[in-house]
Amino acid sequence: MAQPSMATTESTNQTARIQLNPEKLINVYRLLVKLRLFERQVNELYLTAKMPGLAHLYIGEEAVAVGVCQALRSDDYITSTHRGHGHCLAKGASVALMFAELLGKVAGYCRGKGGSMHIADQKSGNLGANAIVGGSTGIATGAALSAQMRGTDQVAVCFFGEGALGQGLLYEVMNMAGLWKLPVIYVCENNLYNEYTHYSQTTSGEITARPEAFAITAMSVDGQDVRAVYSAAAQFVERARRGEGPGFLECRTYRFHGHYVGDIDRAYYRSKQEEQDWESQRDPVKRLADWLVDERFTDRDALDQIETEVQQEITAGLEFATQAPFPDPSEVNQHVYA
């Protein structure tokens, strides 16, 4: 099997880097911490049998969701995946309502009926997580077509893992998007493993060559660097708003935990040393913190205070969800179909 590399490249068609100002970068750090602490709490809920269903943790990949969503407006659209908590939060979802949904409570975004893999929040432009690999690619492309037909300058972003590169639907909709110059951005979160198989064993050729076959501009970036992700996403978003068509962004990233919470013994498909290298050298939260301190935009005490405040928000949100009631059994057939 080809060995995964931590090295990433940016394609030569990337123009000058689009920067976030220091104040916004502090807020970006807060959001990264929120995603990290939320997922740690989810892990605890699952391991203590307080959460039904499954949990696919986003820990390690936070820079992708945050970097991309920082380039979007509140009325722009996203579609998500089975590993979608980070996308939801990055697009503006409430911690409390997220926890309520995960715990099956009526206060949740889908009245507790969607659970971890089906959260949707139309008010923030989140058209929904999807448990089908690549299943939301058509939804995002349809949203982009809708925006084009209505004459708005809204943009749709479709998050998916590299495993979706084997799904035919993705290529059908990329063909449509390329032909009609739809304002959609396909964001491939390449965390190197299709569940338990390295992507080199399932994906032939260069990933970015695939969208380029449909005349879609493609770029590959370091998915552990939130500033790089934002810069690339912002360029694609600006192009899409100008009517210049779709983009494809491959973000090289890594999940620090297993495919799902029960994936504990991972030695048969990736080594402990590999995991330790990524966590110690490529943690997106730590990388931004170190950069902010090195550039003297803030100090460690201020960053520690941010973490304390975010933890308070997580604790309060969980308390709200814990106290919220379950749906009444009489509504089992309600809100199931549009």
Side-chain angles (χ1 to χ4, degrees):
M1 183 183 80
Q3 290 301 309
S5 170
M6 292 194 297
T8 59
T9 59
E10 298 186 39
S11 61
T12 56
N13 62 358
Q14 184 172 7
T15 57
R17 189 158 172 151
I18 300 176
Q19 302 281 4
L20 287 163
N21 64 45
E23 181 180 353
K24 288 186 177 180
L25 281 169
I26 297 297
N27 290 330
V28 165
Y29 177 76
R30 180 183 295 271
L31 195 49
L32 289 173
V33 172
K34 180 185 292 188
L35 268 61
R36 177 66 57 87
L37 296 185
F38 181 89
E39 291 291 69
R40 284 180 179 172
Q41 185 62 69
V42 169
N43 190 42
E44 179 64 22
L45 288 171
Y46 188 86
L47 293 178
T48 55
K50 296 175 182 175
M51 174 185 157
L54 291 176
H56 302 82
L57 302 178
Y58 198 65
I59 293 174
E61 303 183 34
E62 296 92 345
V64 180
V66 172
V68 170
C69 289
Q70 282 294 301
L72 300 175
R73 297 190 316 226
S74 60
D75 65 334
D76 288 328
Y77 302 111
I78 68 166
T79 60
S80 185
T81 72
H82 63 281
R83 198 180 308 282
H85 305 159
H87 308 140
C88 300
L89 289 169
K91 195 59 171 69
S94 156
V95 166
L97 300 187
M98 287 275 289
F99 276 131
E101 185 61 36
L102 294 179
L103 295 180
K105 301 300 185 73
V106 73
Y109 278 112
C110 302
R111 299 182 66 83
K113 300 176 182 179
S116 173
M117 291 189 281
H118 300 92
I119 294 174
D121 175 25
Q122 294 186 12
K123 290 182 179 178
S124 69
N126 180 2
L127 300 180
N130 200 305
I132 304 300
V133 174
S136 70
T137 56
I139 298 171
T141 307
L145 176 60
S146 169
Q148 185 186 75
M149 294 178 69
R150 289 181 288 112
T152 71
D153 63 350
Q154 292 165 290
V155 171
V157 167
C158 177
F159 290 101
F160 58 92
E162 79 288 342
L165 294 167
Q167 296 285 18
L169 176 61
L170 173 62
Y171 302 100
E172 295 179 36
V173 297
M174 283 201 298
N175 186 57
M176 294 168 60
L179 281 172
W180 299 340
K181 292 191 178 302
L182 299 182
V184 57
I185 299 155
Y186 300 99
V187 179
C188 176
E189 298 182 301
N190 182 4
N191 65 24
L192 305 182
Y193 294 93
N194 308 171
E195 294 190 358
Y196 317 110
T197 306
H198 191 263
Y199 82 99
S200 63
Q201 294 183 293
T202 62
T203 307
S204 178
E206 291 295 324
I207 289 176
T208 52
R210 297 184 176 207
E212 287 170 353
F214 299 103
I216 295 176
T217 302
M219 189 182 299
S220 180
V221 297
D222 182 354
Q224 305 304 88
D225 181 350
V226 69
R227 295 185 300 130
V229 174
Y230 168 80
S231 178
Q235 292 176 59
F236 280 133
V237 169
E238 288 182 3
R239 288 182 66 257
R241 289 204 202 284
R242 292 194 301 262
E244 297 178 16
F248 185 103
L249 182 60
E250 180 199 7
C251 298
R252 294 291 186 96
T253 185
Y254 197 82
R255 50 175 165 82
F256 290 173
H257 288 252
H259 167 59
Y260 73 108
V261 175
D263 178 16
I264 298 173
D265 183 11
R266 298 181 290 278
Y268 69 95
Y269 71 91
R270 70 186 202 191
S271 69
K272 287 285 187 182
Q273 186 61 54
E274 177 188 311
E275 293 184 349
Q276 290 170 5
D277 288 345
W278 277 87
E279 289 196 48
S280 62
Q281 302 173 34
R282 303 293 298 282
D283 184 329
V285 182
K286 184 179 184 299
R287 286 181 72 179
L288 182 59
D290 291 345
W291 185 85
L292 289 169
V293 172
D294 290 345
E295 295 294 319
R296 299 185 179 180
F297 291 141
T298 188
D299 56 37
R300 295 293 177 184
D301 289 342
L303 296 182
D304 289 344
Q305 180 60 32
I306 287 174
E307 183 168 348
T308 298
E309 293 169 359
V310 172
Q311 185 58 62
Q312 291 171 348
E313 180 183 358
I314 298 295
T315 301
L318 180 58
E319 178 65 19
F320 166 83
T322 301
Q323 298 300 322
F326 289 101
D328 190 276
S330 65
E331 67 169 70
V332 65
N333 293 322
Q334 298 176 17
H335 317 109
V336 179
Y337 298 100

